Amino acid sequence: MAKATTTFTCNACGASSTKWSGRCDACGDWNTITEDTPLSAGPGAKSIGAKRGNALHITDLSTEEAPPPRTLSGMTELDRVLGGGLVPASAILVGGDPGIGKSTLLLQAAARFAQNGVKTLYVTGEEASAQVRMRAQRLGLNDAPVQLAAATALRDILTTMETEKPQLVIIDSIQTMWADTVDSAPGSVSQVRAAAHELTSFAKRKGVSVVLVGHVTKEGQIAGPRVVEHMVDTVLYFEGERGHQFRILRSVKNRFGPADEIGVFEMTGAGLAEVANPSALFLSGRGAPSPGSVVFAGIEGTRPVLVEMQALVAPSPHAQARRAVVGWDSARLAMVLAVLEARCGIPFTGLDVYLNVAGGLKISEPAADLAVAAALLSAREDAALPAETVIFGEISLSGALRPVGQTENRLKEAQKLGFTTALSPSGGKPGGAAGMTLNQFSDLTGFVGDIFGAG
Ligand code: TYD
Ligand code: MG
C-alpha cells in the first residue's frame, strides 16, 4: 500500500520537495518552505484502491447540446479575446504587471456586463471601496449596477456568492485572498492555489463566471499567476509598456476560443479606450522612410496587424557586441543574424544590434523573420526601404524563405492602409488584394541581392 506522503512547497518559486529545509534548493531563498496541505486527502488518507468508488458514467463523443450561450460585454476588443463573449460557469485569469491597468479594465468590463443585465459582483482585496468608487466616477461608471465589496477572507466571499447569486464575480486580486484552511500568508503559493481552487470549483458548481486578477511578480517574493493557469479555462495577459499608452490583452490559453487572440486598448485620462484599427495606431508615429525601419505585416490571433520594426546597427565600443531586443525573441534575433552571416556573407561581428517593435507590441510569429532581416540590413547599409512596402516571411536555417499562413489577410490589411508593395516568400497569392505588387523571393540571398544590392 502506498504511504501517504507529505509534500513541502517553496512559497517563492513553487518548487516542491519531500522534506523540509531552511533554504529552498531550487531558488535559494531562506524560510520559504511550508508544508503543503492537501485539499481533499488529509494526512493518513488510505490508498485509493482500498475502498471501492462509484462506477463512472460513461458516454461517447456525440452531442446534441448547443454550444454554451455567450454574453457580450459590448467591448468588442474584450469579447473577441474571450473567444466571442463570456461563457457561463467559466474561470478566467487576467494577469499583468502591477499598474498596467487590470483593475481599470475589469471595472469597465464589470460595468458593461452589468449594464447588459449580467448580475456582477466586484470584490476588491487591494483597495477600499471608496477608492474603487472614485475610479468608477473618473470613468463615468457610477450608474452601472455593479455590486461592490472590499474583502479578502475567502470564506466570506464564498458565502456572499452563495446568498447574492451573482452571474459574474471579479476577484481583484487573487494574491490578496486568504483561505483560513491554509496556514500561510496571503500571496504565498499555497494560499493562491487554495483560493483559486475554491473559487474555480465554486464557479463550475454554481454556474458562475469568475475572473481572477493576478499580478505578475518579479521572481521570488509572492506567487505569480502561473500557479493558477492550469486551473482556469481562459488565461489572458494584459501587456504594454508603462511609458506607452497602448495596452494589449492577449489570450494565451482559451478552452472556449482561439488562443493568441489580441485586443488593443489605449490608456486615456478617462480609462481604457478600445482601438478598433490597431495597424493605423501602430504606424501612426511613422515619419518619412528611414534606415532601419520596416513595416511587418503580421497576424495576431485572427487579425492582421501591421507594425513598424526598427533596428539600429552601430560599431561596438565593447569587446562583446550588444544585442538588445524589445518586443521580439532574442534567440530568434540571434538566428537571423547567424543566417545572414553564414548564408549571405554579411557579418555583424563587432557591431551592436538593437531591435525594437514600435508601439509596445510583443511579436512571436516566425513570419517576422524576414522583416527583422530587412530592418537589420537597412540599418547596416544605412539604406531606407521604399515607403509603402510591407514585409513578411519565415527564414529557415538554410537561408531559404518559407511561405507563411494568411498571405491574403496580410496583403488586404496592407492595401487598406495605403501600402502598394509586399516583399514575401515565393508561393503566396494576393487573392482579394489584387492591387498589391508582390515581390517574391525563394531565399534570403536573392532577397538581399535584390533589395540591398549586396550579398
Ligand atoms: P490600475 O487599473 O490600477 O492597474 P493594476 O490594477 O493593473 O495595478 O491602473 C493603474 C494606472 O492606470 C495608473 O497608473 C493610472 C492609470 N489610469 C489612467 O491613466 N487613466 C484612468 O482613467 C485610470 C482609471 C487609470
Ligand atoms: Mg489593481
Side-chain angles (χ1 to χ4, degrees):
M1 191 176 107
K3 216 172 95 199
T5 47
T6 316
T7 56
F8 296 87
T9 305
C10 170
N11 285 334
C13 71
S16 62
S17 53
T18 49
K19 61 178 181 21
W20 187 89
S21 68
R23 184 165 185 261
C24 173
D25 285 339
C27 67
D29 272 11
W30 288 93
N31 295 326
T32 52
I33 297 194
T34 49
E35 187 174 334
D36 236 357
T37 319
L39 287 162
S40 43
K46 292 253 168 51
S47 149
I48 294 272
K51 185 169 171 273
R52 274 178 74 96
N54 299 322
L56 301 178
H57 172 61
I58 292 177
T59 61
D60 60 20
L61 295 174
S62 63
T63 177
E64 253 98 69
E65 273 173 55
R70 294 182 179 254
T71 316
L72 297 177
S73 66
M75 289 169 88
T76 320
E77 296 297 301
L78 174 66
D79 291 336
R80 190 188 39 248
V81 176
L82 287 172
L86 184 70
V87 177
S90 61
I92 300 159
L93 172 71
V94 178
D97 289 330
I100 202 74
K102 300 181 295 298
S103 301
T104 309
L105 175 73
L106 289 167
L107 188 60
Q108 287 182 247
R112 298 295 285 270
F113 277 117
Q115 282 160 345
N116 289 354
V118 179
K119 191 170 178 189
T120 305
L121 171 65
Y122 186 103
V123 181
T124 171
E126 302 202 330
E127 296 162 296
S129 300
Q131 273 175 292
V132 178
R133 276 197 293 270
M134 269 167 60
R135 178 181 293 137
Q137 187 175 30
R138 181 172 167 184
L139 301 172
L141 298 173
N142 284 108
D143 297 336
V146 175
Q147 296 183 309
L148 175 65
T152 55
L154 190 63
R155 196 176 288 278
D156 298 350
I157 294 168
L158 291 172
T159 305
T160 311
M161 284 162 71
E162 196 98 52
T163 51
E164 290 292 329
K165 300 193 171 39
Q167 292 160 284
L168 170 63
V169 178
I170 291 163
I171 305 288
D172 188 2
S173 66
I174 189 68
Q175 276 116 340
T176 54
M177 294 299 129
W178 177 73
D180 54 20
T181 47
V182 177
D183 194 17
S184 59
S188 63
V189 172
S190 355
Q191 278 289 355
V192 166
R193 218 186 261 158
H197 175 80
E198 292 287 341
L199 287 162
T200 49
S201 46
F202 186 95
K204 299 287 157 205
R205 233 173 25 242
K206 305 278 173 169
V208 184
S209 299
V210 177
V211 178
L212 309 175
V213 175
H215 293 295
V216 173
T217 48
K218 289 267 171 291
E219 273 184 313
Q221 311 313 313
I222 45 173
R226 294 224 167 259
V227 297
V228 297
E229 274 185 357
H230 66 279
M231 290 185 212
V232 296
D233 301 305
T234 304
V235 177
L236 310 180
Y237 276 94
F238 205 36
E239 323 168 328
E241 302 288 325
R242 281 287 191 93
H244 270 295
Q245 71 273 38
F246 310 132
R247 298 285 182 273
I248 288 147
L249 185 66
R250 185 187 296 275
S251 67
V252 296
K253 159 181 170 179
N254 196 350
R255 287 186 185 145
F256 306 115
D260 251 331
E261 196 65 78
I262 63 164
V264 183
F265 297 87
E266 188 177 356
M267 184 60 98
T268 70
L272 290 156
E274 294 180 63
V275 176
N277 189 343
S279 302
L281 188 80
F282 288 132
L283 297 180
S284 62
R286 236 163 52 97
S290 62
S293 154
V294 305
V295 176
F296 165 53
I299 299 280
E300 292 289 335
T302 54
R303 207 159 45 148
V305 176
L306 301 192
V307 274
E308 184 188 353
M309 297 219 151
Q310 305 161 337
L312 179 68
V313 175
S316 178
H318 309 288
Q320 178 138 28
R322 290 200 60 169
R323 268 84 180 103
V325 195
V326 178
W328 207 50
D329 182 22
S330 52
R332 201 85 198 169
L333 172 68
M335 189 209 88
V336 171
L337 288 170
V339 174
L340 280 171
E341 180 148 3
R343 307 292 174 201
C344 311
I346 303 175
F348 282 83
T349 356
L351 296 172
D352 282 340
V353 173
Y354 300 89
L355 183 77
N356 180 31
V357 178
L361 190 67
K362 288 196 183 72
I363 293 181
S364 53
E365 254 195 305
D369 291 352
L370 192 58
V372 169
L376 294 172
L377 289 165
S378 160
R380 189 180 183 279
E381 309 293 318
D382 201 27
L385 250 69
E388 286 111 41
T389 301
V390 296
I391 308 181
F392 56 89
E394 184 179 344
I395 299 175
S396 70
L397 288 178
S398 66
L401 298 186
R402 288 207 198 113
V404 295
Q406 307 204 36
T407 299
E408 183 175 346
N409 281 342
R410 296 175 202 266
L411 294 175
K412 273 195 197 154
E413 178 79 358
Q415 192 173 29
K416 208 164 77 191
L417 284 147
F419 290 86
T420 55
T421 310
L423 310 180
S424 66
S426 307
K429 298 251 164 23
M436 293 283 290
T437 308
L438 270 185
N439 283 350
Q440 300 190 324
F441 304 89
S442 60
D443 59 45
L444 192 58
T445 317
F447 174 84
V448 171
D450 217 57
I451 306 297
F452 297 96

